[in-house]
Amino acid sequence: MSSAIRLTNTLTRQLEPFEPMVPGRVGVYLCGPTVYDLAHLGNARSAVNFDMLHRLLRHDFGVANVAFVRNITDVDDKIIARALETGVSIADLTAGSTQDYLDDLEALCVLSVTNQPRATEYIDEMIAMIQTLIDKGHAYPADDGNVLFHVPSMPDYGQLSRRSQDDIIAGARVEVSSAKRDPSDFVLWKPQKPDEPDHATFDSPWGRGRPGWHIECSAMSKAILGEVFDIHAGGNDLIFPHHENEIAQSRCANETAHMARTWLHNGMLMVEGQKMSKSLGNFFTVRDLLGQGHRGETLRLSLLSGHYRAPLDFTQAKLTEAKNRLDGWYRVWDGVTPADKVPEAVLNAIRDDLNTPQAMAEIDTLRGQSDQLAAAAQFLGLLQLTPDQWFRGGGGAGEGAGTGGDAGLSPNDIDALIAERAEAKKARDFGRADAIRDQLTETGIVLEDGAGGTTWRRA
Ligand SMILES: [Zn+2]
């Protein structure tokens, strides 16, 4: 049976039919978090977007035939710095941070992965791969204790990011080593620094130290998925240098034409039109938003409301819209048994390069068929509560307080919908404007359009 899935491969810049290397079985590697801090919205976006890939592959190939690996980076400069700064042990910091991350993903209805390798469990595999790279002439131990990958040893380095030589050198400059043979060379193993504790470092043929970040993913993906596997995914900020360097290490060590055959990257996350940053005061963790009373499902729907490859502008208006949409779906569903099969139109939207906005538009048309709507929304990882739990609050999935109430929409919700309807009319999207009026009518809200705008009353 041929797969109906099409994915945009960053390596070729093409939308391609997806066929697994071994028919019927799929291996995926997704770069996971460095565990020293709470997950922010950008981390959440990558996890939620590629959870949709995981759900689709499980649906089409069967749960037992999908290996979905997401690593935990638990050895890193930032971890050591945070541990030294807070006085918390590295073991406690990484264990606590990992649990926080998994709790947040659970609130966002992200499925558990099949493998969650921790970098510190694969140090031997990393050392072995570095030794192979040295033996094959692609790496060298430098005088300053670093082991470096020699980029000019790989003639077709740079295929994924298609960077210029100048960009490559600028990117490699962050990895300071005075002993580089070429300015683009990057670090595979770094020596222990004087202020670093012994338990953050490991013995190696090149002295005590620790692996560079890139080699972690090359070694762990090989150990679990093999030298070449189907899909490698991550945020587009990882294309260069992280993924480019993973490819260089894996292909040169294993002597293969590919590391992964398909590379998928999600777009950036903005907040209210700006890059999310601590200095701009618009930096949100998943915990912040759950603490403000937003439910995990509302955040999830917001993160899936744009196409995964496009930049996503995360706004207050989008959150309100997501909550209203979920209110509408929960009201239509009303707890009947979901249909056995996910409606084809929704499946096909996801098979078409994970087109979640299209899938949601299809779900909106299922208002007359509550069992179909429930099956479709649950396939997207939504409608995970009962309608009663959703409207009355409680029942997990984000723990945020439900503000809907069983009597219907709150005044704030109604005002937000009226504002959205006005925008839709202005944009001449009369279908959407009418749909909002219908949604309000269903819940007993009467709109009155007048010269001064739209007012409302309960029927
Ligand atoms: Zn990685």
Side-chain angles (χ1 to χ4, degrees):
M1 190 197 79
S2 166
S3 153
I5 300 171
R6 299 193 307 161
L7 298 169
T8 299
N9 187 354
T10 308
L11 199 55
T12 59
R13 273 43 171 193
Q14 302 280 327
L15 182 62
E16 298 171 348
F18 171 71
E19 295 296 344
M21 291 163 53
V22 177
R25 299 185 69 87
V26 188
V28 182
Y29 188 94
L30 170 63
C31 290
T34 300
V35 282
Y36 67 103
D37 213 346
L38 287 169
H40 60 68
L41 274 180
N43 306 135
R45 183 179 190 196
S46 179
V48 167
N49 280 163
F50 294 118
D51 179 61
M52 226 27 261
L53 173 71
H54 191 188
R55 286 171 186 268
L56 174 66
L57 295 172
R58 279 167 55 131
H59 179 276
D60 281 12
F61 292 92
V63 174
N65 295 316
V66 179
F68 197 100
V69 183
R70 188 186 56 227
N71 70 292
I72 297 282
T73 291
D74 60 350
V75 51
D76 184 87
D77 292 356
K78 293 191 204 93
I79 294 171
I80 296 171
R82 180 64 56 90
L84 290 174
E85 168 193 314
T86 56
V88 177
S89 77
I90 288 178
D92 287 350
L93 174 65
T94 56
S97 235
T98 300
Q99 194 52 52
D100 286 341
Y101 180 74
L102 296 178
D103 290 347
D104 286 351
L105 293 196
E106 194 183 337
L108 295 171
C109 313
V110 172
L111 295 174
S112 297
V113 292
T114 52
N115 300 72
Q116 181 177 269
R118 302 166 65 92
T120 50
E121 295 166 345
Y122 288 84
I123 300 292
D124 290 348
E125 286 82 351
M126 295 170 203
I127 289 173
M129 189 177 263
I130 295 169
Q131 188 61 55
T132 302
L133 288 168
I134 294 171
D135 294 344
K136 291 185 177 176
H138 293 290
Y140 57 96
D143 294 340
D144 60 3
N146 285 289
V147 181
L148 295 160
F149 184 94
H150 190 44
V151 170
S153 76
M154 183 188 192
D156 58 353
Y157 178 87
Q159 283 184 330
L160 183 73
S161 62
R162 302 186 186 177
R163 296 275 175 131
S164 69
Q165 189 62 24
D166 287 350
D167 281 352
I168 289 169
I169 291 169
R173 204 166 283 147
V174 292
E175 295 179 318
V176 186
S177 167
S178 52
K180 285 185 183 183
R181 288 184 193 161
D182 186 273
S184 58
D185 292 353
F186 61 86
V187 169
L188 299 171
W189 186 266
K190 40 182 113 179
Q192 179 176 15
K193 293 184 201 123
D195 62 333
E196 286 171 357
D198 279 345
H199 61 269
T201 54
F202 308 85
D203 282 325
S204 85
W206 319 286
R208 214 165 160 84
R210 62 204 148 83
W213 175 36
H214 316 310
I215 197 74
E216 297 179 7
C217 290
S218 283
M220 290 187 281
S221 63
K222 178 180 180 178
I224 298 165
L225 296 173
E227 293 182 349
V228 185
F229 50 93
D230 294 304
I231 299 174
H232 194 313
N236 68 0
D237 54 333
L238 299 185
I239 294 175
F240 184 83
H242 184 54
H243 288 167
E244 197 72 84
N245 292 349
E246 281 188 33
I247 290 173
Q249 297 160 159
S250 294
R251 284 188 49 209
C252 290
N254 303 325
E255 299 184 55
T256 54
H258 290 105
M259 176 188 187
R261 299 208 306 184
T262 303
W263 287 79
L264 304 183
H265 292 99
N266 67 272
M268 277 223 340
L269 183 122
M270 322 270 286
V271 174
E272 305 286 352
Q274 286 183 301
K275 191 173 184 231
M276 187 169 74
S277 80
K278 285 185 173 150
S279 59
L280 287 173
N282 65 350
F283 186 92
F284 290 106
T285 64
V286 173
R287 229 27 95 80
D288 290 335
L289 290 158
L290 295 174
Q292 288 169 17
H294 299 292
R295 284 177 177 276
E297 282 189 48
T298 306
L299 302 181
R300 181 180 176 92
L301 194 149
S302 303
L303 292 169
L304 292 175
S305 66
H307 193 275
Y308 79 97
R309 297 180 58 238
L312 180 73
D313 192 12
F314 195 89
T315 61
Q316 205 58 46
K318 205 162 260 165
L319 272 175
T320 304
E321 205 176 296
K323 171 160 184 313
N324 291 336
R325 204 167 194 174
L326 282 166
D327 280 348
W329 290 357
Y330 269 108
R331 208 167 278 118
V332 171
W333 175 31
D334 206 21
V336 300
T337 307
D340 289 342
K341 288 197 165 127
V342 180
E344 247 348 80
V346 172
L347 273 174
N348 286 335
I350 301 300
R351 287 174 181 142
D352 184 15
D353 204 20
L354 312 179
N355 193 339
T356 48
Q358 177 63 29
M360 289 183 197
E362 295 290 348
I363 294 174
D364 285 334
T365 69
L366 295 170
R367 287 178 179 276
Q369 302 137 279
S370 52
D371 62 329
Q372 304 272 321
L373 181 142
Q378 289 183 352
F379 173 62
L380 296 196
L382 300 164
L383 301 196
Q384 303 292 305
L385 301 175
T386 65
D388 198 51
Q389 286 168 335
W390 176 260
F391 289 114
R392 288 171 195 270
E399 295 294 325
T403 52
D406 61 350
L409 299 166
S410 73
N412 277 346
D413 294 335
I414 296 165
D415 289 341
L417 278 170
I418 289 172
E420 202 198 322
R421 177 167 167 265
E423 283 298 318
K425 279 175 141 182
K426 212 188 287 170
R428 306 192 69 75
D429 183 357
F430 297 112
R432 178 73 190 133
D434 287 346
I436 293 170
R437 174 185 279 272
D438 291 347
Q439 185 189 343
L440 288 167
T441 306
E442 258 174 50
T443 55
I445 305 298
V446 179
L447 297 187
E448 286 165 343
D449 290 322
T454 302
T455 56
W456 62 271
R457 61 182 170 80
R458 295 197 193 268

